[in-house]
Each structure stands twice: as C-alpha cells, then as structure tokens.
Amino acid sequence: MSTTMQLQTLAACTLTLMLLACGNEQGGGGAAKVGAGTHKTVVEAKRAPYAYPAPVKGHIKEINIGEFDLVDGIAYPSLGGGGTVVYVVSKPVASPMLVGSACPLTQARALAKLRNASFSEVTLDTGGRSNYFGAGTPFNGSLTDLAPRDWSSTLKTEANRAAGSVAHKQYGKFEFDLPLSSPKIDEISYGDQQQKRRLAATTPKPGEQAVTAAYIALRDAALTKNLKATLATLGFDAKQSEAIRGMDGIDADFLVFADRFLTPGTPGDPWNKPGAGQVRGEGVKANGKKFFNDYYFDLCGDHLVLTHIVEQSPP
C-alpha cells in the first residue's frame, strides 16, 4: 500500500472513531439499529443497586393463570371511602418509592407490566373484608372472584402501615406488611364495581391526541432501549427512576418489555373514556413477526400512564 493510501485509510478510521465518540457523548450509547433503522439503542450507565426486605409473602396457583410467588406491593386508602386497596406482585416494584405517589396503583401496575410481574388484589374494609379477589398475569389472563365466602382476610392499620393476610380456598394466600401510600387522585381498583361506576361519572376523558402522543413517546423510548426515558414517559420522577434502574434483573425485564413495541408501530385511531385511553400499534417485533398490539393508558392527573398491553398476531 502506498504512503498516500495509508494516510487516507488512517484519516477515515480517525473520523469514524470521532463520530462514534460524539454519538456516545450525545446519545449515551452506540448505534445498534432497530427494525427499519429509525431508532438507535441508548446504552445507559450502570446504576447503584437498589434492594429492600420483601414486604409480601405468598403464593397463587390457578389453572388458567399458572402459579407464582408474591414478594412486593402497595397499599393505600381509597379516596372514595371504599377501604384499603392492597395490590401485591411477583417481582419487586420499588414499593418504598411509590409511597408518596399521586397514583400509587397506576404506577405499580405500570412497573408490573414492565417487569412482567403477576399480581393479586383486594380492597379491604375496616373489618378486613373484601367484596372481590383478583389475580392474574400481565399478558396471559386474569380472574376476578366476587364470592366473598371463597376467601378469608384480615387488616390492621396503624402508624401509616397496613398489615394483614388473604387466604383463598382454591387459589392460594399471601401476607403483607406495607406502608400506606398517600394518593392525591382516586384510582380504579381491579374488581370494585361500585368504585368503577363512581369514577366513570366524575373522571375527565383524555383527548385523543393526548392518547396518541403518550403512545408515540413511550414507543420511541422503548425502541431505543432507553430505560430512563421510558420510566420518565411512564410518569416516574428522577428519584424513583434512579431506584428502579438499580433493581436486580430490571435490564433483562426491560428488553422483553421493549420488544412489545413494534417497528414502525404506526398508531391507529385512538379510543378514550373517562380516565383512560387506548391506541393500536401495527408493525413487527425484533424477530420480524407481525403484530397488532393494543396499548391501554390510565390517567394520573394530566399524565397518561401505560398499564396494559394486549398483543395480537395475525394467523
């Protein structure tokens, strides 16, 4: 190779390295193409570990939803006076960070979806009784039992904590000792039909453009594999995000969650109702398989938070 050709090759290599360095400084990561190549992966710095003693212990088993242990959750007094909502999950959801949230149930559901965590839920009155028992998985079904004779439950609240137990005759049991969250906005619990009707009559309906914008922002953050941006789009503040990104296994969970957003993920006509909205995204997963997915959002103040995804693959 001539001296001139060697200098040209060296210059080209130097320019390439400079561009890559610039990309790392500006975007926080390299350029791994996703789908059609319109999104680039963001590589985030490793966070400090975040862990805490498990405040929930239990196990659920049912033929349609499978079986899972319960390790974490949230508890909060329903602002409508319906009792204390107890929502427990099979993976940590940074529950100490959700205590002061305006919408603890909505945020816990959002993080449960991101982590692919199964759940159980009741709303306990002052005597420790619930008029429903709910359980399910994030993407493979759920159940609601409305026959209180099928389970027994207890509740003790003091010093801003809620402790108790729920034991279902068929599906399993769990014990909990949780801090009581202090919501600013009333939320729709899983199986409380009276509360659902009341909130439907008093909760504002999000605009269709807002529903579409919330979906697009979340899709773009997920497709770039940017966990920090995804959490911000889901409504988590900086302190919550810092803790969540330090939880064991969160990075692997997020990669699975991100693959539930499609390329290009073109949004269809949005649908809305009081307190909630939905939009369909169309495209392919990383493996090239085509999907039509429905993305459901709940309203927390003026912010729309993703709480459910229904994945559909054409035959």
Side-chain angles (χ1 to χ4, degrees), residues 247-304:
M247 293 194 299
D248 185 46
I250 191 69
D251 292 328
D253 291 338
F254 175 55
L255 290 179
V256 176
F257 175 78
D259 194 39
R260 301 186 191 278
F261 291 83
L262 311 174
T263 303
T266 306
D269 292 335
W271 166 90
N272 57 359
K273 68 176 184 178
Q278 173 261 331
V279 67
R280 171 165 291 188
E282 179 179 345
V284 297
K285 284 193 170 186
N287 62 6
K289 190 173 183 179
K290 190 171 184 178
F291 276 80
F292 302 91
N293 291 353
D294 290 319
Y295 302 85
Y296 293 84
F297 296 81
D298 286 336
L299 198 60
C300 176
D302 58 358
H303 193 92
L304 283 159

Side-chain angles (χ1 to χ4, degrees), residues 76 85-88 105 109 119-123 130 132-136 174 188-192 195:
Y76 71 92
V85 178
V86 178
Y87 175 81
V88 293
L105 182 58
R109 284 174 172 161
F119 73 94
S120 184
E121 183 186 311
V122 293
T123 297
S130 176
Y132 72 96
F133 176 93
F174 61 87
I188 298 177
S189 55
Y190 186 78
D192 193 327
Q195 184 195 35

